[in-house]
Amino acid sequence: MRPPDHQIARAGVCLAGLLLLGAATAQEANWEITPRLTLSETWTDNATLGGAGEEQSDWVTAVAPGIEVIADTARLKGLLDYEYQYLWYLDERDFSDGYHNLGASGTAEIIEQHFFLDGLAEYSQADIDPLGKVAQSNIYRTGNRTDYFLLGMEPYWQDRFG
């Protein structure tokens, strides 16, 4: 089950806020931004992972633009990697669909040398039922995959004694 768009937007705003915090407070900032585009063509003899006599072969074109952002500033260390994967099926056009994939993690220093916030976010696809048709790729249309979203935040205080 896909989370509502407002939850995805809220997570994006949180991550963007952490990135802006690092940009606004860093005196010596090191940012690496790397865009990418991946194109591939796959032929499968069983796009639905069907049993004997139920196979559906197809050519699948994948187009996946993405971006990687690495922040290494005085108060922010983090990585954000996003990709949108669109799969286009030559014969079974109804199978064509797009998938968002996000991986992000980082540490922000909120109060210098004392209060920190670790964060992570992940948005991708996974199999629902391990006893059903298991596909390790979005290419296979099994009806057993769903989007998932994971967001974690861990604030902590650090003090020096002595």
Side-chain angles (χ1 to χ4, degrees):
M1 179 163 120
R2 180 187 153 126
D5 287 338
H6 70 276
Q7 287 179 342
I8 296 169
R10 189 177 303 141
V13 168
C14 289
L15 290 171
L18 288 174
L19 290 174
L20 289 175
L21 172 71
T25 60
Q27 294 179 1
E28 289 188 34
N30 183 16
W31 290 81
E32 292 180 36
I33 300 172
T34 309
R36 68 178 177 276
L37 177 63
T38 305
L39 301 169
S40 66
E41 188 70 28
T42 302
W43 182 82
T44 176
D45 62 354
N46 197 352
T48 60
L49 299 181
E54 298 175 0
E55 301 94 343
Q56 288 181 271
S57 63
D58 211 338
W59 284 99
V60 184
T61 303
V63 179
I67 189 166
E68 179 183 72
V69 179
I70 299 172
D72 185 8
T73 73
R75 297 182 66 177
L76 177 70
K77 309 285 189 244
L79 168 70
L80 181 139
D81 188 81
Y82 172 78
E83 180 177 84
Y84 179 75
Q85 178 189 47
Y86 188 80
L87 300 175
W88 182 74
Y89 293 76
L90 182 63
D91 294 328
E92 297 295 331
R93 302 260 169 117
D94 290 345
F95 287 178
S96 298
D97 207 351
Y99 303 93
H100 298 277
N101 293 288
L102 169 76
S105 63
T107 299
E109 185 176 352
I110 309 297
I111 299 174
E112 193 171 353
Q113 297 182 6
H114 292 290
F115 184 56
F116 298 84
L117 179 64
D118 287 346
L120 68 92
E122 185 174 338
Y123 187 90
S124 192
Q125 297 73 46
D127 293 314
I128 300 167
D129 180 0
L131 301 177
K133 295 177 183 177
V134 176
Q136 297 300 318
S137 166
N138 290 325
I139 288 177
Y140 300 104
R141 301 297 299 219
T142 64
N144 188 33
R145 289 182 66 77
T146 190
D147 292 335
Y148 73 89
F149 180 63
L150 172 68
L151 178 65
M153 299 274 182
E154 181 182 358
Y156 60 95
W157 183 270
Q158 183 173 310
D159 235 333
R160 292 181 182 235
F161 296 101

mmCIF file with all atom_site columns, all heavy atoms in Angstrom, residues 53-80:
data_model
loop_
_atom_site.group_PDB
_atom_site.id
_atom_site.type_symbol
_atom_site.label_atom_id
_atom_site.label_alt_id
_atom_site.label_comp_id
_atom_site.label_asym_id
_atom_site.label_entity_id
_atom_site.label_seq_id
_atom_site.pdbx_PDB_ins_code
_atom_site.Cartn_x
_atom_site.Cartn_y
_atom_site.Cartn_z
_atom_site.occupancy
_atom_site.B_iso_or_equiv
_atom_site.pdbx_formal_charge
_atom_site.auth_seq_id
_atom_site.auth_comp_id
_atom_site.auth_asym_id
_atom_site.auth_atom_id
_atom_site.pdbx_PDB_model_num
ATOM 1   N N   . GLY A 1 53 ? 2.618  -22.828 -18.985 1.00 0.00 ? 53 GLY A N   1
ATOM 2   C CA  . GLY A 1 53 ? 1.487  -22.503 -19.841 1.00 0.00 ? 53 GLY A CA  1
ATOM 3   C C   . GLY A 1 53 ? 0.901  -21.119 -19.587 1.00 0.00 ? 53 GLY A C   1
ATOM 4   O O   . GLY A 1 53 ? 0.039  -20.672 -20.334 1.00 0.00 ? 53 GLY A O   1
ATOM 5   N N   . GLU A 1 54 ? 1.338  -20.420 -18.534 1.00 0.00 ? 54 GLU A N   1
ATOM 6   C CA  . GLU A 1 54 ? 0.825  -19.081 -18.216 1.00 0.00 ? 54 GLU A CA  1
ATOM 7   C C   . GLU A 1 54 ? 1.875  -17.996 -18.443 1.00 0.00 ? 54 GLU A C   1
ATOM 8   O O   . GLU A 1 54 ? 1.658  -16.836 -18.089 1.00 0.00 ? 54 GLU A O   1
ATOM 9   C CB  . GLU A 1 54 ? 0.367  -19.028 -16.757 1.00 0.00 ? 54 GLU A CB  1
ATOM 10  C CG  . GLU A 1 54 ? -0.768 -19.969 -16.431 1.00 0.00 ? 54 GLU A CG  1
ATOM 11  C CD  . GLU A 1 54 ? -1.109 -19.966 -14.942 1.00 0.00 ? 54 GLU A CD  1
ATOM 12  O OE1 . GLU A 1 54 ? -0.452 -19.234 -14.171 1.00 0.00 ? 54 GLU A OE1 1
ATOM 13  O OE2 . GLU A 1 54 ? -2.020 -20.692 -14.558 1.00 0.00 ? 54 GLU A OE2 1
ATOM 14  N N   . GLU A 1 55 ? 3.005  -18.351 -19.029 1.00 0.00 ? 55 GLU A N   1
ATOM 15  C CA  . GLU A 1 55 ? 4.082  -17.393 -19.229 1.00 0.00 ? 55 GLU A CA  1
ATOM 16  C C   . GLU A 1 55 ? 3.671  -16.311 -20.221 1.00 0.00 ? 55 GLU A C   1
ATOM 17  O O   . GLU A 1 55 ? 2.923  -16.575 -21.149 1.00 0.00 ? 55 GLU A O   1
ATOM 18  C CB  . GLU A 1 55 ? 5.344  -18.081 -19.762 1.00 0.00 ? 55 GLU A CB  1
ATOM 19  C CG  . GLU A 1 55 ? 5.894  -19.166 -18.865 1.00 0.00 ? 55 GLU A CG  1
ATOM 20  C CD  . GLU A 1 55 ? 5.390  -20.557 -19.250 1.00 0.00 ? 55 GLU A CD  1
ATOM 21  O OE1 . GLU A 1 55 ? 4.379  -20.662 -19.979 1.00 0.00 ? 55 GLU A OE1 1
ATOM 22  O OE2 . GLU A 1 55 ? 6.003  -21.537 -18.823 1.00 0.00 ? 55 GLU A OE2 1
ATOM 23  N N   . GLN A 1 56 ? 4.161  -15.101 -19.994 1.00 0.00 ? 56 GLN A N   1
ATOM 24  C CA  . GLN A 1 56 ? 3.969  -13.988 -20.918 1.00 0.00 ? 56 GLN A CA  1
ATOM 25  C C   . GLN A 1 56 ? 5.336  -13.370 -21.181 1.00 0.00 ? 56 GLN A C   1
ATOM 26  O O   . GLN A 1 56 ? 5.906  -12.741 -20.294 1.00 0.00 ? 56 GLN A O   1
ATOM 27  C CB  . GLN A 1 56 ? 3.044  -12.927 -20.323 1.00 0.00 ? 56 GLN A CB  1
ATOM 28  C CG  . GLN A 1 56 ? 1.595  -13.362 -20.244 1.00 0.00 ? 56 GLN A CG  1
ATOM 29  C CD  . GLN A 1 56 ? 0.744  -12.250 -19.671 1.00 0.00 ? 56 GLN A CD  1
ATOM 30  O OE1 . GLN A 1 56 ? 0.571  -12.157 -18.477 1.00 0.00 ? 56 GLN A OE1 1
ATOM 31  N NE2 . GLN A 1 56 ? 0.211  -11.417 -20.542 1.00 0.00 ? 56 GLN A NE2 1
ATOM 32  N N   . SER A 1 57 ? 5.849  -13.579 -22.402 1.00 0.00 ? 57 SER A N   1
ATOM 33  C CA  . SER A 1 57 ? 7.148  -12.985 -22.729 1.00 0.00 ? 57 SER A CA  1
ATOM 34  C C   . SER A 1 57 ? 6.945  -11.544 -23.178 1.00 0.00 ? 57 SER A C   1
ATOM 35  O O   . SER A 1 57 ? 5.874  -11.159 -23.640 1.00 0.00 ? 57 SER A O   1
ATOM 36  C CB  . SER A 1 57 ? 7.847  -13.805 -23.813 1.00 0.00 ? 57 SER A CB  1
ATOM 37  O OG  . SER A 1 57 ? 7.084  -13.777 -24.999 1.00 0.00 ? 57 SER A OG  1
ATOM 38  N N   . ASP A 1 58 ? 7.993  -10.718 -23.004 1.00 0.00 ? 58 ASP A N   1
ATOM 39  C CA  . ASP A 1 58 ? 7.884  -9.314  -23.392 1.00 0.00 ? 58 ASP A CA  1
ATOM 40  C C   . ASP A 1 58 ? 9.256  -8.659  -23.399 1.00 0.00 ? 58 ASP A C   1
ATOM 41  O O   . ASP A 1 58 ? 10.175 -9.113  -22.725 1.00 0.00 ? 58 ASP A O   1
ATOM 42  C CB  . ASP A 1 58 ? 6.973  -8.564  -22.422 1.00 0.00 ? 58 ASP A CB  1
ATOM 43  C CG  . ASP A 1 58 ? 6.221  -7.425  -23.096 1.00 0.00 ? 58 ASP A CG  1
ATOM 44  O OD1 . ASP A 1 58 ? 6.677  -6.929  -24.156 1.00 0.00 ? 58 ASP A OD1 1
ATOM 45  O OD2 . ASP A 1 58 ? 5.171  -7.020  -22.565 1.00 0.00 ? 58 ASP A OD2 1
ATOM 46  N N   . TRP A 1 59 ? 9.368  -7.589  -24.168 1.00 0.00 ? 59 TRP A N   1
ATOM 47  C CA  . TRP A 1 59 ? 10.516 -6.699  -24.124 1.00 0.00 ? 59 TRP A CA  1
ATOM 48  C C   . TRP A 1 59 ? 10.159 -5.568  -23.176 1.00 0.00 ? 59 TRP A C   1
ATOM 49  O O   . TRP A 1 59 ? 9.079  -4.990  -23.258 1.00 0.00 ? 59 TRP A O   1
ATOM 50  C CB  . TRP A 1 59 ? 10.822 -6.129  -25.498 1.00 0.00 ? 59 TRP A CB  1
ATOM 51  C CG  . TRP A 1 59 ? 11.498 -7.098  -26.408 1.00 0.00 ? 59 TRP A CG  1
ATOM 52  C CD1 . TRP A 1 59 ? 10.919 -7.861  -27.387 1.00 0.00 ? 59 TRP A CD1 1
ATOM 53  C CD2 . TRP A 1 59 ? 12.883 -7.415  -26.427 1.00 0.00 ? 59 TRP A CD2 1
ATOM 54  N NE1 . TRP A 1 59 ? 11.860 -8.643  -28.000 1.00 0.00 ? 59 TRP A NE1 1
ATOM 55  C CE2 . TRP A 1 59 ? 13.084 -8.372  -27.439 1.00 0.00 ? 59 TRP A CE2 1
ATOM 56  C CE3 . TRP A 1 59 ? 13.987 -6.983  -25.695 1.00 0.00 ? 59 TRP A CE3 1
ATOM 57  C CZ2 . TRP A 1 59 ? 14.334 -8.904  -27.740 1.00 0.00 ? 59 TRP A CZ2 1
ATOM 58  C CZ3 . TRP A 1 59 ? 15.230 -7.501  -25.986 1.00 0.00 ? 59 TRP A CZ3 1
ATOM 59  C CH2 . TRP A 1 59 ? 15.402 -8.455  -27.000 1.00 0.00 ? 59 TRP A CH2 1
ATOM 60  N N   . VAL A 1 60 ? 11.088 -5.221  -22.284 1.00 0.00 ? 60 VAL A N   1
ATOM 61  C CA  . VAL A 1 60 ? 10.839 -4.164  -21.303 1.00 0.00 ? 60 VAL A CA  1
ATOM 62  C C   . VAL A 1 60 ? 11.956 -3.121  -21.420 1.00 0.00 ? 60 VAL A C   1
ATOM 63  O O   . VAL A 1 60 ? 13.136 -3.447  -21.291 1.00 0.00 ? 60 VAL A O   1
ATOM 64  C CB  . VAL A 1 60 ? 10.814 -4.719  -19.862 1.00 0.00 ? 60 VAL A CB  1
ATOM 65  C CG1 . VAL A 1 60 ? 10.459 -3.607  -18.877 1.00 0.00 ? 60 VAL A CG1 1
ATOM 66  C CG2 . VAL A 1 60 ? 9.849  -5.888  -19.740 1.00 0.00 ? 60 VAL A CG2 1
ATOM 67  N N   . THR A 1 61 ? 11.553 -1.886  -21.688 1.00 0.00 ? 61 THR A N   1
ATOM 68  C CA  . THR A 1 61 ? 12.494 -0.774  -21.740 1.00 0.00 ? 61 THR A CA  1
ATOM 69  C C   . THR A 1 61 ? 12.422 -0.029  -20.416 1.00 0.00 ? 61 THR A C   1
ATOM 70  O O   . THR A 1 61 ? 11.339 0.346   -19.972 1.00 0.00 ? 61 THR A O   1
ATOM 71  C CB  . THR A 1 61 ? 12.138 0.191   -22.892 1.00 0.00 ? 61 THR A CB  1
ATOM 72  O OG1 . THR A 1 61 ? 12.131 -0.540  -24.119 1.00 0.00 ? 61 THR A OG1 1
ATOM 73  C CG2 . THR A 1 61 ? 13.133 1.339   -22.975 1.00 0.00 ? 61 THR A CG2 1
ATOM 74  N N   . ALA A 1 62 ? 13.568 0.179   -19.798 1.00 0.00 ? 62 ALA A N   1
ATOM 75  C CA  . ALA A 1 62 ? 13.631 0.914   -18.532 1.00 0.00 ? 62 ALA A CA  1
ATOM 76  C C   . ALA A 1 62 ? 14.370 2.231   -18.754 1.00 0.00 ? 62 ALA A C   1
ATOM 77  O O   . ALA A 1 62 ? 15.450 2.257   -19.339 1.00 0.00 ? 62 ALA A O   1
ATOM 78  C CB  . ALA A 1 62 ? 14.343 0.090   -17.467 1.00 0.00 ? 62 ALA A CB  1
ATOM 79  N N   . VAL A 1 63 ? 13.747 3.308   -18.278 1.00 0.00 ? 63 VAL A N   1
ATOM 80  C CA  . VAL A 1 63 ? 14.359 4.634   -18.291 1.00 0.00 ? 63 VAL A CA  1
ATOM 81  C C   . VAL A 1 63 ? 14.348 5.106   -16.843 1.00 0.00 ? 63 VAL A C   1
ATOM 82  O O   . VAL A 1 63 ? 13.297 5.131   -16.204 1.00 0.00 ? 63 VAL A O   1
ATOM 83  C CB  . VAL A 1 63 ? 13.572 5.614   -19.173 1.00 0.00 ? 63 VAL A CB  1
ATOM 84  C CG1 . VAL A 1 63 ? 14.206 6.995   -19.153 1.00 0.00 ? 63 VAL A CG1 1
ATOM 85  C CG2 . VAL A 1 63 ? 13.463 5.092   -20.593 1.00 0.00 ? 63 VAL A CG2 1
ATOM 86  N N   . ALA A 1 64 ? 15.527 5.456   -16.326 1.00 0.00 ? 64 ALA A N   1
ATOM 87  C CA  . ALA A 1 64 ? 15.625 5.796   -14.906 1.00 0.00 ? 64 ALA A CA  1
ATOM 88  C C   . ALA A 1 64 ? 16.527 7.017   -14.687 1.00 0.00 ? 64 ALA A C   1
ATOM 89  O O   . ALA A 1 64 ? 17.732 6.874   -14.515 1.00 0.00 ? 64 ALA A O   1
ATOM 90  C CB  . ALA A 1 64 ? 16.134 4.601   -14.107 1.00 0.00 ? 64 ALA A CB  1
ATOM 91  N N   . PRO A 1 65 ? 15.934 8.215   -14.685 1.00 0.00 ? 65 PRO A N   1
ATOM 92  C CA  . PRO A 1 65 ? 16.718 9.379   -14.299 1.00 0.00 ? 65 PRO A CA  1
ATOM 93  C C   . PRO A 1 65 ? 16.866 9.417   -12.780 1.00 0.00 ? 65 PRO A C   1
ATOM 94  O O   . PRO A 1 65 ? 15.976 8.967   -12.048 1.00 0.00 ? 65 PRO A O   1
ATOM 95  C CB  . PRO A 1 65 ? 15.888 10.563  -14.798 1.00 0.00 ? 65 PRO A CB  1
ATOM 96  C CG  . PRO A 1 65 ? 14.487 10.043  -14.831 1.00 0.00 ? 65 PRO A CG  1
ATOM 97  C CD  . PRO A 1 65 ? 14.585 8.565   -15.108 1.00 0.00 ? 65 PRO A CD  1
ATOM 98  N N   . GLY A 1 66 ? 17.993 9.926   -12.308 1.00 0.00 ? 66 GLY A N   1
ATOM 99  C CA  . GLY A 1 66 ? 18.203 9.988   -10.864 1.00 0.00 ? 66 GLY A CA  1
ATOM 100 C C   . GLY A 1 66 ? 19.202 11.064  -10.501 1.00 0.00 ? 66 GLY A C   1
ATOM 101 O O   . GLY A 1 66 ? 19.822 11.679  -11.364 1.00 0.00 ? 66 GLY A O   1
ATOM 102 N N   . ILE A 1 67 ? 19.328 11.268  -9.202  1.00 0.00 ? 67 ILE A N   1
ATOM 103 C CA  . ILE A 1 67 ? 20.276 12.258  -8.694  1.00 0.00 ? 67 ILE A CA  1
ATOM 104 C C   . ILE A 1 67 ? 20.810 11.784  -7.352  1.00 0.00 ? 67 ILE A C   1
ATOM 105 O O   . ILE A 1 67 ? 20.085 11.183  -6.563  1.00 0.00 ? 67 ILE A O   1
ATOM 106 C CB  . ILE A 1 67 ? 19.638 13.658  -8.573  1.00 0.00 ? 67 ILE A CB  1
ATOM 107 C CG1 . ILE A 1 67 ? 20.712 14.696  -8.246  1.00 0.00 ? 67 ILE A CG1 1
ATOM 108 C CG2 . ILE A 1 67 ? 18.505 13.666  -7.566  1.00 0.00 ? 67 ILE A CG2 1
ATOM 109 C CD1 . ILE A 1 67 ? 20.249 16.129  -8.429  1.00 0.00 ? 67 ILE A CD1 1
ATOM 110 N N   . GLU A 1 68 ? 22.100 12.046  -7.131  1.00 0.00 ? 68 GLU A N   1
ATOM 111 C CA  . GLU A 1 68 ? 22.727 11.754  -5.847  1.00 0.00 ? 68 GLU A CA  1
ATOM 112 C C   . GLU A 1 68 ? 23.283 13.069  -5.305  1.00 0.00 ? 68 GLU A C   1
ATOM 113 O O   . GLU A 1 68 ? 23.943 13.809  -6.030  1.00 0.00 ? 68 GLU A O   1
ATOM 114 C CB  . GLU A 1 68 ? 23.852 10.741  -6.003  1.00 0.00 ? 68 GLU A CB  1
ATOM 115 C CG  . GLU A 1 68 ? 24.551 10.421  -4.696  1.00 0.00 ? 68 GLU A CG  1
ATOM 116 C CD  . GLU A 1 68 ? 25.706 9.461   -4.874  1.00 0.00 ? 68 GLU A CD  1
ATOM 117 O OE1 . GLU A 1 68 ? 26.747 9.878   -5.423  1.00 0.00 ? 68 GLU A OE1 1
ATOM 118 O OE2 . GLU A 1 68 ? 25.556 8.300   -4.467  1.00 0.00 ? 68 GLU A OE2 1
ATOM 119 N N   . VAL A 1 69 ? 22.980 13.343  -4.032  1.00 0.00 ? 69 VAL A N   1
ATOM 120 C CA  . VAL A 1 69 ? 23.481 14.543  -3.375  1.00 0.00 ? 69 VAL A CA  1
ATOM 121 C C   . VAL A 1 69 ? 24.228 14.101  -2.122  1.00 0.00 ? 69 VAL A C   1
ATOM 122 O O   . VAL A 1 69 ? 23.680 13.396  -1.279  1.00 0.00 ? 69 VAL A O   1
ATOM 123 C CB  . VAL A 1 69 ? 22.333 15.502  -2.985  1.00 0.00 ? 69 VAL A CB  1
ATOM 124 C CG1 . VAL A 1 69 ? 22.880 16.741  -2.282  1.00 0.00 ? 69 VAL A CG1 1
ATOM 125 C CG2 . VAL A 1 69 ? 21.516 15.889  -4.211  1.00 0.00 ? 69 VAL A CG2 1
ATOM 126 N N   . ILE A 1 70 ? 25.488 14.515  -2.037  1.00 0.00 ? 70 ILE A N   1
ATOM 127 C CA  . ILE A 1 70 ? 26.301 14.228  -0.856  1.00 0.00 ? 70 ILE A CA  1
ATOM 128 C C   . ILE A 1 70 ? 26.633 15.563  -0.202  1.00 0.00 ? 70 ILE A C   1
ATOM 129 O O   . ILE A 1 70 ? 27.149 16.471  -0.862  1.00 0.00 ? 70 ILE A O   1
ATOM 130 C CB  . ILE A 1 70 ? 27.594 13.482  -1.220  1.00 0.00 ? 70 ILE A CB  1
ATOM 131 C CG1 . ILE A 1 70 ? 27.271 12.138  -1.874  1.00 0.00 ? 70 ILE A CG1 1
ATOM 132 C CG2 . ILE A 1 70 ? 28.472 13.299  0.012   1.00 0.00 ? 70 ILE A CG2 1
ATOM 133 C CD1 . ILE A 1 70 ? 28.477 11.413  -2.436  1.00 0.00 ? 70 ILE A CD1 1
ATOM 134 N N   . ALA A 1 71 ? 26.300 15.676  1.084   1.00 0.00 ? 71 ALA A N   1
ATOM 135 C CA  . ALA A 1 71 ? 26.593 16.896  1.842   1.00 0.00 ? 71 ALA A CA  1
ATOM 136 C C   . ALA A 1 71 ? 27.652 16.580  2.888   1.00 0.00 ? 71 ALA A C   1
ATOM 137 O O   . ALA A 1 71 ? 27.515 15.616  3.640   1.00 0.00 ? 71 ALA A O   1
ATOM 138 C CB  . ALA A 1 71 ? 25.324 17.405  2.526   1.00 0.00 ? 71 ALA A CB  1
ATOM 139 N N   . ASP A 1 72 ? 28.691 17.378  2.916   1.00 0.00 ? 72 ASP A N   1
ATOM 140 C CA  . ASP A 1 72 ? 29.734 17.243  3.924   1.00 0.00 ? 72 ASP A CA  1
ATOM 141 C C   . ASP A 1 72 ? 30.086 18.660  4.372   1.00 0.00 ? 72 ASP A C   1
ATOM 142 O O   . ASP A 1 72 ? 31.010 19.282  3.854   1.00 0.00 ? 72 ASP A O   1
ATOM 143 C CB  . ASP A 1 72 ? 30.947 16.518  3.346   1.00 0.00 ? 72 ASP A CB  1
ATOM 144 C CG  . ASP A 1 72 ? 32.017 16.240  4.393   1.00 0.00 ? 72 ASP A CG  1
ATOM 145 O OD1 . ASP A 1 72 ? 31.757 16.474  5.591   1.00 0.00 ? 72 ASP A OD1 1
ATOM 146 O OD2 . ASP A 1 72 ? 33.111 15.810  4.007   1.00 0.00 ? 72 ASP A OD2 1
ATOM 147 N N   . THR A 1 73 ? 29.284 19.180  5.297   1.00 0.00 ? 73 THR A N   1
ATOM 148 C CA  . THR A 1 73 ? 29.470 20.542  5.771   1.00 0.00 ? 73 THR A CA  1
ATOM 149 C C   . THR A 1 73 ? 29.867 20.499  7.239   1.00 0.00 ? 73 THR A C   1
ATOM 150 O O   . THR A 1 73 ? 29.941 19.426  7.842   1.00 0.00 ? 73 THR A O   1
ATOM 151 C CB  . THR A 1 73 ? 28.176 21.364  5.615   1.00 0.00 ? 73 THR A CB  1
ATOM 152 O OG1 . THR A 1 73 ? 27.224 20.942  6.586   1.00 0.00 ? 73 THR A OG1 1
ATOM 153 C CG2 . THR A 1 73 ? 27.593 21.214  4.215   1.00 0.00 ? 73 THR A CG2 1
ATOM 154 N N   . ALA A 1 74 ? 30.087 21.673  7.801   1.00 0.00 ? 74 ALA A N   1
ATOM 155 C CA  . ALA A 1 74 ? 30.477 21.746  9.208   1.00 0.00 ? 74 ALA A CA  1
ATOM 156 C C   . ALA A 1 74 ? 29.396 21.160  10.119  1.00 0.00 ? 74 ALA A C   1
ATOM 157 O O   . ALA A 1 74 ? 29.703 20.568  11.147  1.00 0.00 ? 74 ALA A O   1
ATOM 158 C CB  . ALA A 1 74 ? 30.762 23.194  9.596   1.00 0.00 ? 74 ALA A CB  1
ATOM 159 N N   . ARG A 1 75 ? 28.097 21.285  9.727   1.00 0.00 ? 75 ARG A N   1
ATOM 160 C CA  . ARG A 1 75 ? 27.022 20.845  10.619  1.00 0.00 ? 75 ARG A CA  1
ATOM 161 C C   . ARG A 1 75 ? 26.065 19.853  9.987   1.00 0.00 ? 75 ARG A C   1
ATOM 162 O O   . ARG A 1 75 ? 25.049 19.512  10.590  1.00 0.00 ? 75 ARG A O   1
ATOM 163 C CB  . ARG A 1 75 ? 26.273 22.064  11.140  1.00 0.00 ? 75 ARG A CB  1
ATOM 164 C CG  . ARG A 1 75 ? 27.229 22.936  11.971  1.00 0.00 ? 75 ARG A CG  1
ATOM 165 C CD  . ARG A 1 75 ? 26.603 24.128  12.562  1.00 0.00 ? 75 ARG A CD  1
ATOM 166 N NE  . ARG A 1 75 ? 25.606 23.771  13.560  1.00 0.00 ? 75 ARG A NE  1
ATOM 167 C CZ  . ARG A 1 75 ? 24.952 24.675  14.264  1.00 0.00 ? 75 ARG A CZ  1
ATOM 168 N NH1 . ARG A 1 75 ? 25.192 25.955  14.095  1.00 0.00 ? 75 ARG A NH1 1
ATOM 169 N NH2 . ARG A 1 75 ? 24.056 24.298  15.149  1.00 0.00 ? 75 ARG A NH2 1
ATOM 170 N N   . LEU A 1 76 ? 26.381 19.389  8.810   1.00 0.00 ? 76 LEU A N   1
ATOM 171 C CA  . LEU A 1 76 ? 25.531 18.399  8.155   1.00 0.00 ? 76 LEU A CA  1
ATOM 172 C C   . LEU A 1 76 ? 26.378 17.430  7.368   1.00 0.00 ? 76 LEU A C   1
ATOM 173 O O   . LEU A 1 76 ? 27.218 17.824  6.551   1.00 0.00 ? 76 LEU A O   1
ATOM 174 C CB  . LEU A 1 76 ? 24.521 19.069  7.211   1.00 0.00 ? 76 LEU A CB  1
ATOM 175 C CG  . LEU A 1 76 ? 23.639 18.110  6.417   1.00 0.00 ? 76 LEU A CG  1
ATOM 176 C CD1 . LEU A 1 76 ? 22.639 17.425  7.346   1.00 0.00 ? 76 LEU A CD1 1
ATOM 177 C CD2 . LEU A 1 76 ? 22.922 18.830  5.303   1.00 0.00 ? 76 LEU A CD2 1
ATOM 178 N N   . LYS A 1 77 ? 26.153 16.144  7.621   1.00 0.00 ? 77 LYS A N   1
ATOM 179 C CA  . LYS A 1 77 ? 26.775 15.077  6.848   1.00 0.00 ? 77 LYS A CA  1
ATOM 180 C C   . LYS A 1 77 ? 25.623 14.219  6.342   1.00 0.00 ? 77 LYS A C   1
ATOM 181 O O   . LYS A 1 77 ? 24.791 13.753  7.131   1.00 0.00 ? 77 LYS A O   1
ATOM 182 C CB  . LYS A 1 77 ? 27.692 14.196  7.713   1.00 0.00 ? 77 LYS A CB  1
ATOM 183 C CG  . LYS A 1 77 ? 28.702 14.976  8.548   1.00 0.00 ? 77 LYS A CG  1
ATOM 184 C CD  . LYS A 1 77 ? 29.839 15.496  7.724   1.00 0.00 ? 77 LYS A CD  1
ATOM 185 C CE  . LYS A 1 77 ? 30.916 16.066  8.624   1.00 0.00 ? 77 LYS A CE  1
ATOM 186 N NZ  . LYS A 1 77 ? 31.137 17.478  8.459   1.00 0.00 ? 77 LYS A NZ  1
ATOM 187 N N   . GLY A 1 78 ? 25.516 14.028  5.039   1.00 0.00 ? 78 GLY A N   1
ATOM 188 C CA  . GLY A 1 78 ? 24.395 13.245  4.564   1.00 0.00 ? 78 GLY A CA  1
ATOM 189 C C   . GLY A 1 78 ? 24.514 12.827  3.115   1.00 0.00 ? 78 GLY A C   1
ATOM 190 O O   . GLY A 1 78 ? 25.371 13.302  2.365   1.00 0.00 ? 78 GLY A O   1
ATOM 191 N N   . LEU A 1 79 ? 23.624 11.916  2.753   1.00 0.00 ? 79 LEU A N   1
ATOM 192 C CA  . LEU A 1 79 ? 23.544 11.372  1.405   1.00 0.00 ? 79 LEU A CA  1
ATOM 193 C C   . LEU A 1 79 ? 22.076 11.242  1.037   1.00 0.00 ? 79 LEU A C   1
ATOM 194 O O   . LEU A 1 79 ? 21.266 10.734  1.832   1.00 0.00 ? 79 LEU A O   1
ATOM 195 C CB  . LEU A 1 79 ? 24.211 9.993   1.341   1.00 0.00 ? 79 LEU A CB  1
ATOM 196 C CG  . LEU A 1 79 ? 23.958 9.169   0.077   1.00 0.00 ? 79 LEU A CG  1
ATOM 197 C CD1 . LEU A 1 79 ? 24.679 9.792   -1.110  1.00 0.00 ? 79 LEU A CD1 1
ATOM 198 C CD2 . LEU A 1 79 ? 24.426 7.745   0.274   1.00 0.00 ? 79 LEU A CD2 1
ATOM 199 N N   . LEU A 1 80 ? 21.728 11.705  -0.145  1.00 0.00 ? 80 LEU A N   1
ATOM 200 C CA  . LEU A 1 80 ? 20.380 11.535  -0.674  1.00 0.00 ? 80 LEU A CA  1
ATOM 201 C C   . LEU A 1 80 ? 20.519 10.970  -2.080  1.00 0.00 ? 80 LEU A C   1
ATOM 202 O O   . LEU A 1 80 ? 21.281 11.506  -2.894  1.00 0.00 ? 80 LEU A O   1
ATOM 203 C CB  . LEU A 1 80 ? 19.642 12.878  -0.706  1.00 0.00 ? 80 LEU A CB  1
ATOM 204 C CG  . LEU A 1 80 ? 18.212 12.799  -1.220  1.00 0.00 ? 80 LEU A CG  1
ATOM 205 C CD1 . LEU A 1 80 ? 17.318 13.687  -0.383  1.00 0.00 ? 80 LEU A CD1 1
ATOM 206 C CD2 . LEU A 1 80 ? 18.119 13.171  -2.678  1.00 0.00 ? 80 LEU A CD2 1
#
